[in-house]
Amino acid sequence: MNVLDRLDTTLRVVGGARLEGSVEVQGAKNAALPIMAAALLARGKVTLHRVPRITDVSVMWSLLEALGARLSLQDRNTITIDAANVNKARAPYTLVRKLAASFDLCGPLLGRFGRAEVPLPGGCVLGTRATDLHEAAFRALDAEVSVAHGYLIANARGGRLRGGEIEFRMPSVGATKNAMLAAVTADGDTIIHNAAMEPEVVDLANFLVAMGAKIEGQGGDTLRVTGVAELRGVEYEIIPDRIATGTLLIAGAITRGDVTVKKTRPDDVLALQLALGECGVKVTTGDDWVRVQADTVKGGTDVVTAPHPGFATDLQPQLLSFLCTAPGVSVVEESIFNARFSYVNELVRMGADVRVAMDNNTALVKGVAQLSGAPVEAPDIRAGAALVLAGLGASGETEIIGLEYIDRGYERLEETLSSLGAQVQRASGIVPFSEPTGTFETSVYPSV
Ligand code: UD1
């Protein structure tokens, strides 16, 4: 297999089937990645349950190995990380460029070695990936920070970080995670103002507390961290993936089906529940499940993406696909990333009526009676999922090129959807993560 083979991987969707039934959702990608990075801070072995078998996890796996950690696969979704022998504070660009979340390594490296060298994330298809908030946080913890040759280089003055006061100008998920990761083993107390409140940030905090860290206020906008000398190994289960939950619920909605997502946390998708409800979808919840019944869709809705608990930017493309099939006019405004509507052109090729305003932040969606299947290309993970959903609600066949993006975030999406009655097939022979073999297969990244 070579790079070109990978680019040719496609998903074929035959639309029209009404999805019905229930599925359990995978563990959260955006919690698993920083938690794996945080394992660098542990003195003993870390065992993680409910780790999603996705390629982003396999990149983080390879990154930790490149730094000297030893990882092993216990069963399908359980991994252990032993960071005892980690001896490098510099993350290799060849791996980092595949994963924006690699930047989560800065905090743990800085905490462990008093030094971190991590390539800058640069831009991505969603927009600019600035790092000023991360840098400000490290400086507040008494690190010297510079940028050289594409790398962010941070050095703790005196070899160990010191607690400080961090005031973010806006809540950033990544910068809050890095600030916490750096502060937990710093000398003294840290206060983080205007912290991100996303469930994955809370899960990282809870994991760190399980390792012996002292953090208060998680889930709110002010975090208080009291530095401790060392953190211990721990066994921990990752939270359910709210974005995968939302994607499956919208799959139910766009096919006017009846879908229940189990082993999830309904409150984590509250804003989506409200948006679907406004469109006439019946949404019911229990302790750990959410059900959508969508034969009553009567109209669209307006949403603005916002930090949690607002409407998640990572569900914006999937909801927009659904709105293309809902009667009437909907307005979708993106407030987190500055280039997150590029996939709209692909939906238009499927017969959608969507106009993106000149500022690139607002999309006007007019529902059409029926989308029509077409060959389309996924530009990123969530837009890829959105195109799959559009294919489910369209007439005829949709071929989605760029399946490797979808595999970055969704564990065998085609199998999950097929179990609900969808006609979805992986069109080329690459199946990541078949059965456990003792190592977490990285076969989709053979060149690494
Ligand atoms: C995380 C998620 C991503 C999600 C996003 C928003 C992971 C691996 N990724 O990304 O899926 O879409 O949260 O919920 O968890 N910004 C700055 N300066 C900074 C940092 C960020 O200006 O120093 C800006 C970014 O350019 C962006 C916005 O803040 O426009 C949001 O970024 P942030 O919350 O940091 O998102 P990520 O952690 O990158």
Side-chain angles (χ1 to χ4, degrees):
M1 186 172 67
N2 62 31
V3 171
L4 288 176
D5 289 332
R6 288 211 306 275
L7 290 175
D8 279 346
T9 55
T10 62
L11 207 59
R12 282 212 186 104
V13 180
V14 179
R18 178 178 183 270
L19 299 201
E20 257 183 57
S22 60
V23 278
E24 286 178 13
V25 77
Q26 68 188 58
K29 167 176 99 69
N30 289 349
L33 295 171
I35 285 175
M36 288 174 73
L40 288 177
L41 290 168
R43 285 293 157 101
K45 269 191 196 164
V46 167
T47 301
L48 300 175
H49 300 286
R50 213 174 178 182
V51 177
R53 289 173 79 95
I54 53 176
T55 53
D56 268 9
V57 164
S58 80
V59 178
M60 183 57 89
W61 174 296
S62 302
L63 265 166
L64 294 176
E65 277 184 340
L67 294 169
R70 288 168 62 173
L71 290 89
S72 60
L73 188 62
Q74 302 307 312
D75 64 36
R76 198 177 155 72
N77 296 101
T78 300
I79 67 173
T80 57
I81 304 174
D82 180 353
N85 296 324
V86 170
N87 53 7
K88 296 185 191 79
R90 184 177 170 90
Y93 177 68
T94 45
L95 288 167
V96 169
R97 69 183 182 84
K98 295 174 188 289
L99 183 66
S102 311
F103 215 63
D104 292 344
L105 289 167
C106 293
L109 288 175
L110 200 47
R112 177 154 175 177
F113 298 111
R115 179 175 176 82
E117 295 182 29
V118 180
L120 293 165
C124 78
V125 69
L126 310 183
T128 8
R129 291 262 178 175
T131 57
D132 57 308
L133 300 172
H134 301 252
E135 294 173 35
F138 298 146
R139 286 195 182 100
L141 298 177
D142 207 21
E144 265 181 296
V145 181
S146 59
V147 171
H149 308 291
Y151 274 71
L152 181 100
I153 300 171
N155 276 301
R157 286 195 183 85
R160 185 172 175 201
L161 295 172
R162 287 203 309 194
E165 192 147 359
I166 300 167
E167 174 88 54
F168 287 129
R169 71 178 152 78
M170 57 179 275
S172 151
V173 171
T176 304
K177 288 190 289 194
N178 255 331
M180 246 189 331
L181 286 161
V184 282
T185 54
D187 196 9
D189 296 347
T190 297
I191 300 183
I192 305 171
H193 300 281
N194 209 8
M197 301 190 287
E198 269 65 6
E200 297 79 18
V201 176
V202 177
D203 204 34
L204 173 63
N206 291 342
F207 171 72
L208 290 166
V209 168
M211 289 206 298
K214 293 193 177 147
I215 305 173
E216 284 170 25
Q218 48 271 51
D221 65 0
T222 307
L223 299 174
R224 282 164 207 280
V225 182
T226 304
V228 296
E230 62 176 62
L231 297 173
R232 55 180 175 265
V234 73
E235 193 165 340
Y236 192 81
E237 181 172 311
I238 310 287
I239 55 165
D241 195 310
R242 65 193 166 106
I243 306 304
T245 298
T247 303
L248 295 167
L249 293 173
I250 298 170
I254 203 168
T255 61
R256 306 301 187 260
D258 181 351
V259 168
T260 303
V261 180
K262 296 187 298 187
K263 289 206 175 168
T264 190
R265 302 201 309 188
D267 283 356
D268 288 354
V269 288
L270 211 47
L272 174 67
Q273 289 184 43
L274 294 175
L276 291 175
E278 277 168 21
C279 300
V281 176
K282 185 176 172 201
V283 184
T284 43
T285 59
D287 280 351
D288 67 349
W289 56 266
V290 185
R291 178 180 184 186
V292 290
Q293 291 163 280
D295 29 27
T296 50
V297 172
K298 58 176 177 14
T301 186
D302 298 341
V303 295
V304 183
T305 63
H308 194 75
F311 192 91
T313 175
D314 285 354
L315 283 172
Q316 177 256 97
Q318 300 91 314
L319 184 76
L320 193 143
S321 278
F322 162 71
L323 294 174
C324 289
T325 71
V329 175
S330 303
V331 179
V332 178
E333 193 182 326
E334 173 60 51
S335 80
I336 308 290
F337 290 104
N338 56 13
R340 202 162 193 174
F341 283 125
S342 64
Y343 69 92
V344 160
N345 292 330
E346 299 300 274
L347 286 177
V348 168
R349 297 183 53 250
M350 295 177 71
D353 185 347
V354 188
R355 260 166 245 178
V356 178
M358 289 297 279
D359 65 2
N360 253 333
N361 289 332
T362 311
L364 184 74
V365 186
K366 285 189 192 155
V368 296
Q370 177 84 73
L371 294 172
S372 72
V376 289
E377 185 162 359
D380 66 80
I381 307 176
R382 307 305 171 187
L387 293 170
V388 175
L389 301 185
L392 293 173
S395 64
E397 188 176 307
T398 295
E399 189 173 16
I400 298 119
I401 299 171
L403 177 52
E404 68 276 10
Y405 286 113
I406 297 169
D407 286 336
R408 285 186 50 190
Y410 292 92
E411 183 172 326
R412 292 173 176 264
L413 183 60
E414 76 282 13
E415 285 183 12
T416 312
L417 292 172
S418 298
S419 77
L420 294 168
Q423 289 193 55
V424 188
Q425 252 190 345
R426 192 173 282 268
S428 65
I430 300 162
V431 181
F433 313 136
S434 40
E435 283 314 306
T437 58
T439 59
F440 208 73
E441 301 109 88
T442 51
S443 58
V444 288
Y445 291 105
S447 58
V448 172

